[in-house]
Amino acid sequence: MQTLKYFHHAIWVSVVGLAIAAALGGSAGLWAAFNLALLETSLSFDNAVVNASILRHWDKRWQQRFLVWGMIVAVFGMRVLFPLVIVAIIAHASPLPGPFSVYEWITSGQWPANDVLTMAIVAPHRYADTLQSAHIEVMAFGGTFLLQVFWHFFLNQNKESHWLRPLERAMQKLGRLEMAGVVLTLLILLALAASLPLPEAWRLLLAGIWGLIAYTVVNGISALMGSDSSVVRAGWGGFIYLELLDASFSFDGVLGAFALTRNIFLIAIGLGIGAMFVRSFTLMLVDKGTLSELRYLEHGAFWAIGALAVVMLIAPIAEVPDAATGGIAAVLIILAALHSWHANRRDRKAGAAKP
């Protein structure tokens, strides 16, 4: 029951959201929203662990701001507005109806279908196809951002604990090279671009560079606000960093959702429910101090980030099923948790054996 209290809000949102999904699309709508929620939750558990690893260093005030306001941004910003903005850029249209559209509707009795939200409602297939056409840019941007998060954790010279020790120690030594993470990321982008036709290669490189710039700017803002090299400090810089991190995690889920339904309202409901459960997991991990008890859980989550970054970056070249991506992340986190439990048990036995 103590654990269940963290999921009260997520459960209520699920009940209300699934009821709305059933009203919108009947049993098919209910099933689509349920599967999207399940997929989002399973794919984002590593996101919850990473968020918790940063939030545990923040004071209660900023923790609440991220968990409340960050939730609004995560659900409405990333799951609803972000796809509309991407399609608007591609289609050279307004993402939302403007005042002139409302005026024309009032005066003529007809709604002008010249904005992306209207397109998503009356022509969902056209909307989905347009969004999918930006697949290379979205995957390259998000994958690059997540890859930099991965490098930041494992190339860190101040990192004291290691899970996969030989590999992580080698990466830490590599981190002595100035801008090692940036160089490695650029080499990976160049290698991937070399396997694509020239137009697609330029799209991947440009989006990847913007992902690199976004990470550098946000991380730099956090540093200016006084964070050290391993912890993102509480404040607006840290808030923006976590929001972009969450956005990068959600990119593949937003695009993959169209395999289940083209209805943007069902997508928003399903992904929103999943985001609520991720928030609940994050809160539970922070309050219970789980990351301190399971010493390698954080490492497993960052390895899962690296795996997700690789999957996103190779997505323009080879398709990887969402189930495989979520399975890799789950296996890494479970192995890290089990190894942590075994190490704790070994330490207790060693302590008890001492006179």
Side-chain angles (χ1 to χ4, degrees):
M1 292 300 293
Q2 287 296 319
T3 300
L4 190 60
K5 71 177 184 179
Y6 295 103
F7 298 92
H8 283 164
H9 291 98
I11 291 171
W12 276 111
V13 168
S14 300
V15 171
V16 175
L18 292 176
I20 296 173
L24 288 173
S27 59
L30 176 63
W31 182 243
F34 174 79
N35 278 283
L36 285 169
L38 192 63
L39 183 65
E40 178 75 1
T41 303
S42 61
L43 289 177
S44 299
F45 184 70
D46 49 350
N47 189 8
V49 178
V50 172
N51 285 347
S53 71
I54 296 173
L55 286 172
R56 63 178 172 158
H57 300 286
W58 292 13
D59 58 41
K60 290 291 183 183
R61 181 169 57 100
W62 275 102
Q63 287 179 5
Q64 279 302 118
R65 282 181 178 176
F66 173 75
L67 292 172
V68 175
W69 294 107
M71 193 66 238
I72 296 173
V73 174
V75 174
F76 295 102
M78 285 312 306
R79 275 74 179 181
V80 179
L81 291 180
F82 171 75
L84 293 177
V85 171
I86 292 295
V87 174
I89 293 171
I90 297 171
H92 303 288
S94 171
L96 299 173
F100 291 108
S101 298
V102 177
Y103 174 77
E104 187 173 342
W105 175 51
I106 293 173
T107 55
S108 67
Q110 294 183 342
W111 185 265
N114 58 1
D115 63 90
V116 177
L117 179 59
T118 302
M119 181 202 300
I121 295 171
V122 302
H125 287 277
R126 179 185 165 204
Y127 169 79
D129 291 342
T130 306
L131 181 59
Q132 291 286 359
S133 69
H135 182 255
I136 292 177
E137 288 82 359
V138 173
M139 292 293 104
F141 181 93
T144 300
F145 190 94
L146 288 181
L147 191 59
Q148 289 306 112
V149 174
F150 173 81
W151 293 133
H152 181 78
F153 184 78
F154 287 108
L155 299 179
N156 182 10
Q157 293 300 293
N158 298 322
K159 187 169 172 286
E160 297 177 353
S161 64
H162 305 284
W163 176 34
L164 307 177
R165 289 179 183 170
L167 186 54
E168 292 184 14
R169 283 176 176 169
M171 292 171 70
Q172 189 174 31
K173 289 181 180 179
L174 183 61
R176 295 174 185 172
L177 295 173
E178 190 173 354
M179 298 182 69
V182 174
V183 173
L184 289 169
T185 299
L186 288 174
L187 288 174
I188 291 171
L189 288 173
L190 287 170
L192 292 171
S195 62
L196 290 171
L198 189 59
E200 285 82 1
W202 278 115
R203 290 167 60 190
L204 183 141
L205 282 174
L206 187 59
I209 290 171
W210 276 112
L212 196 60
I213 291 171
Y215 176 84
T216 303
V217 169
V218 174
N219 204 43
I221 291 173
S222 298
L224 286 174
M225 293 184 173
S227 65
D228 58 35
S229 60
S230 59
V231 178
V232 179
R233 185 185 177 95
W236 289 113
F239 184 88
I240 295 170
Y241 176 88
L242 275 182
E243 288 304 323
L244 275 178
L245 186 60
D246 178 73
S248 299
F249 273 105
S250 69
F251 284 161
D252 59 336
V254 170
L255 291 178
F258 288 97
L260 292 173
T261 178
R262 301 298 176 94
N263 188 312
I264 63 165
F265 300 109
L266 294 178
I267 291 173
I269 290 169
L271 297 183
I273 291 172
M276 281 297 297
F277 274 98
V278 172
R279 171 195 179 277
S280 300
F281 278 125
T282 301
L283 186 60
M284 183 183 71
L285 292 171
V286 172
D287 284 355
K288 287 183 172 290
T290 306
L291 295 180
S292 299
E293 295 176 7
L294 300 177
R295 66 186 79 175
Y296 301 129
L297 186 61
E298 185 178 7
H299 296 70
F302 276 97
W303 276 111
I305 283 179
L308 177 59
V310 170
V311 168
M312 293 178 72
L313 287 172
I314 67 173
I317 301 170
E319 185 176 353
V320 180
D322 289 338
T325 307
I328 293 170
V331 167
L332 287 168
I333 291 172
I334 290 171
L335 287 176
L338 290 174
H339 192 184
S340 301
W341 175 80
H342 175 73
N344 291 341
R345 186 182 178 190
R346 182 190 59 208
D347 291 348
R348 284 194 296 269
K349 284 184 176 181
K354 290 181 179 180

